[in-house]
Amino acid sequence: VQLQASGGGLVQAGGSLRLTCAASGDTLNRYTMGWFRQGPGKEREFVAGIRWSGDSTDYGDSVKGRFTISRDNAKNTVYLQMNSLKPEDTAVYYCAASRAMYIVTSQYTYWGQGTQVTVSS
């Protein structure tokens, strides 16, 4: 499966962005999907995950209550709605796919290119 992330940009603190991950080459409903991010000088961090069926989601502690992951298997697309953005959310955001039936952060083996999100204070 090939993944293409888009939707990043520059936004002021408190604003919102929606990232999109479009998949090709395979049917997305075979994969558990996730979003990760890597800020300047930081390690890659799990942001959100959603089970292949869409019936289970998980979030990193730093984004709980602000970010929402969703998927549209008919469109082969996964979304990350980001609200109440903070400067510390500035990072390159990556979408990833896993063959695991459940959300396991170490099981993501397919990665797209990143999309830059910059939050100004």
Side-chain angles (χ1 to χ4, degrees), residues 66-106:
R66 299 187 298 123
F67 291 11
T68 303
I69 188 171
S70 61
R71 65 191 297 158
D72 186 338
N73 287 339
K75 295 183 178 179
N76 249 24
T77 303
V78 177
Y79 305 98
L80 183 69
Q81 179 65 42
M82 306 186 295
N83 298 329
S84 302
L85 283 162
K86 305 175 181 179
E88 50 263 45
D89 294 319
T90 295
V92 177
Y93 284 71
Y94 300 89
C95 65
S98 164
R99 286 283 197 176
M101 292 191 66
Y102 296 93
I103 301 165
V104 181
T105 57
S106 61

Side-chain angles (χ1 to χ4, degrees), residues 1-5 21-22 92-97 110-115:
V1 64
Q2 291 80 49
L3 305 172
Q4 178 81 29
C21 177
V92 177
Y93 284 71
Y94 300 89
C95 65
Y110 303 91
W111 296 83
Q113 95 297 346
T115 185

Side-chain angles (χ1 to χ4, degrees), residues 15-31:
S16 299
L17 280 175
R18 187 176 81 157
L19 304 184
T20 299
C21 177
S24 61
D26 202 349
T27 304
L28 200 59
N29 61 12
R30 300 182 182 191
Y31 298 87

